[in-house]
């Protein structure tokens, strides 16, 4: 009814097409809620909160592993840099004459900076050249496998969140302020926010009524459209 009111000034065919599209979306939303036995706004809020928390946990785990992989790559590169530039740095260190050393620095400024930067990174992780490259490469491969193993879970939870986004859209149509887009302070969980929505938490009857009522008006509308098309043909 709300959607129909929004389209009051649309032409007849556009209204019918949009109504049928809405019908399918609404029935999908109702099916989603019923399958998960979510018959109150409060229950929906708790479910959405749990799903978001699960996604955050998965993302945190993936990001942690990805960061470690980046660190390993950086360490391997730093170790190689130290290896490649060690003889140059030894030559620099052996120079005793100030003028000669200054000229060497001018000529090899970039290489010296790369060497020192690589050494600083190794020291930051408590390592020194040469590092155990095989061990780090094996750890990197293991982390990549673990990330790949998490992908199905991430995809499944994301699909659930996508469905919840659609369902929440339709719930807000009938209970506008029961499901805020975000917590007021930016940190509270949706579950906590839902504690203020108790006066609007009963969707059981609404779902049953909608499932029955949403079909009838659209069936009538479809019949009218068919009759209108037959009249045009005649």
């Amino acid at each position: 009814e709300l959607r129909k009111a929004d389209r009051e000034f649309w032409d007849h065919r556009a209204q019918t097409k949009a109504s049928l599209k809405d019908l399918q979306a609404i029935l999908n939303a109702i099916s989603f809620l019923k399958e998960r036995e979510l018959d109150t706004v409060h229950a929906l809020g708790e479910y959405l909160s749990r799903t978001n928390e699960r996604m955050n946990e998965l993302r945190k785990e993936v990001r942690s592993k990805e960061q470690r992989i980046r660190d390993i790559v950086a360490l391997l590169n730093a170790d190689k840099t130290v290896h490649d530039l060690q003889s140059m740095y030894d030559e620099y260190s052996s120079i005793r004459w100030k003028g000669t050393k200054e000229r060497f620095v001018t000529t090899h400024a970039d290489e010296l900076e790369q060497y020192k930067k690589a050494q600083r990174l190794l020291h930051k992780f408590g390592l020194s050249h040469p590092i155990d490259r095989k061990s780090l490469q094996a750890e990197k491969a293991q982390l990549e496998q673990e990330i790949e193993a998490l992908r199905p879970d991430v995809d499944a939870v994301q699909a659930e969140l996508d469905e919840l986004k659609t369902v929440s859209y339709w719930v807000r149509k009938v209970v506008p302020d029961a499901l805020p887009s975000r917590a007021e302070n930016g940190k509270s969980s949706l579950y906590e926010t839902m504690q203020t929505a108790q006066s609007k938490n009963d969707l059981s009857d609404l779902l049953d009524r909608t499932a029955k009522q949403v079909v009838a008006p659209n069936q009538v509308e479809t019949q009218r459209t068919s009759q209108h098309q037959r009249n045009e043909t005649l």
Side-chain angles (χ1 to χ4, degrees):
E1 294 299 326
L2 289 169
R3 296 286 279 178
K4 184 181 293 185
D6 291 339
R7 299 163 179 151
E8 181 180 357
F9 299 104
W10 291 22
D11 68 68
H12 181 74
R13 290 186 179 182
Q15 287 187 35
T16 300
K17 183 177 180 180
S19 294
L20 292 174
K21 183 178 179 180
D22 281 349
L23 169 62
Q24 186 59 58
I26 292 170
L27 292 178
N28 289 342
I30 292 171
S31 176
F32 180 91
L33 291 168
K34 285 186 173 295
E35 286 175 3
R36 290 155 182 79
E37 298 182 350
L38 303 174
D39 57 1
T40 69
V41 174
H42 184 71
L44 175 60
E46 287 183 309
Y47 188 84
L48 181 54
S49 180
R50 289 196 303 272
T51 306
N52 273 317
E53 287 174 2
R54 175 57 177 156
M55 177 57 82
N56 288 336
E57 290 171 358
L58 287 169
R59 285 173 176 166
K60 183 178 180 180
E61 185 175 358
V62 170
R63 282 196 298 266
S64 176
K65 294 178 186 298
E66 288 176 338
Q67 182 58 57
R68 178 56 181 168
I69 289 173
R70 287 193 292 270
D71 289 342
I72 290 174
V73 171
L75 288 169
L76 292 172
N77 290 337
D79 184 65
K80 183 178 186 302
T81 296
V82 172
H83 176 270
D84 293 343
L85 298 179
Q86 187 64 59
S87 60
M88 179 275 303
Y89 189 79
D90 290 342
E91 182 182 352
Y92 163 77
S93 299
S94 68
I95 299 173
R96 296 290 178 261
W97 297 100
K98 181 178 179 181
T100 303
K101 199 158 195 170
E102 289 176 347
R103 287 192 295 273
F104 189 93
V105 170
T106 300
T107 305
H108 299 281
D110 290 342
E111 293 95 324
L112 286 169
E113 180 58 30
Q114 290 174 32
Y115 179 90
K116 293 176 181 178
K117 183 178 180 180
Q119 285 285 30
R120 286 196 297 269
L121 181 63
L122 292 176
H123 292 161
K124 177 182 176 181
F125 285 86
L127 301 173
S128 59
H129 176 75
I131 62 176
D132 187 349
R133 298 181 65 87
K134 288 185 178 180
S135 176
L136 286 175
Q137 289 168 341
E139 181 184 353
K140 176 176 175 290
Q142 178 63 33
L143 288 169
E144 290 171 341
Q145 291 178 5
E146 291 174 2
I147 290 175
E148 193 61 30
L150 287 171
R151 296 298 181 192
D153 288 341
V154 172
D155 292 342
V157 176
Q158 185 59 59
E160 191 83 349
L161 284 174
D162 291 342
E163 288 283 355
L164 282 166
K165 181 179 178 180
T166 301
V167 171
S168 297
Y169 169 82
W170 289 107
V171 170
R172 288 189 182 98
K173 277 291 181 182
V174 289
V175 193
D177 57 348
L179 286 173
S181 298
R182 59 180 63 84
E184 293 180 2
N185 61 7
K187 295 182 180 180
S188 299
S189 68
L190 183 56
Y191 173 79
E192 293 169 333
T193 304
M194 291 308 301
Q195 303 303 314
T196 62
Q198 291 301 307
S199 61
K200 302 168 183 176
N201 71 349
D202 192 358
L203 288 184
S204 301
D205 293 339
L206 176 63
L207 292 176
D208 290 337
R209 290 201 309 272
T210 305
K212 296 175 182 177
Q213 295 177 2
V214 76
V215 177
N218 282 279
Q219 287 178 337
V220 172
E221 194 66 32
T222 302
Q223 293 173 356
R224 289 177 178 173
T225 301
S226 299
Q227 183 62 46
H228 180 73
Q229 292 174 343
R230 286 197 296 272
N231 291 340
E232 286 184 344
T233 302
L234 293 174

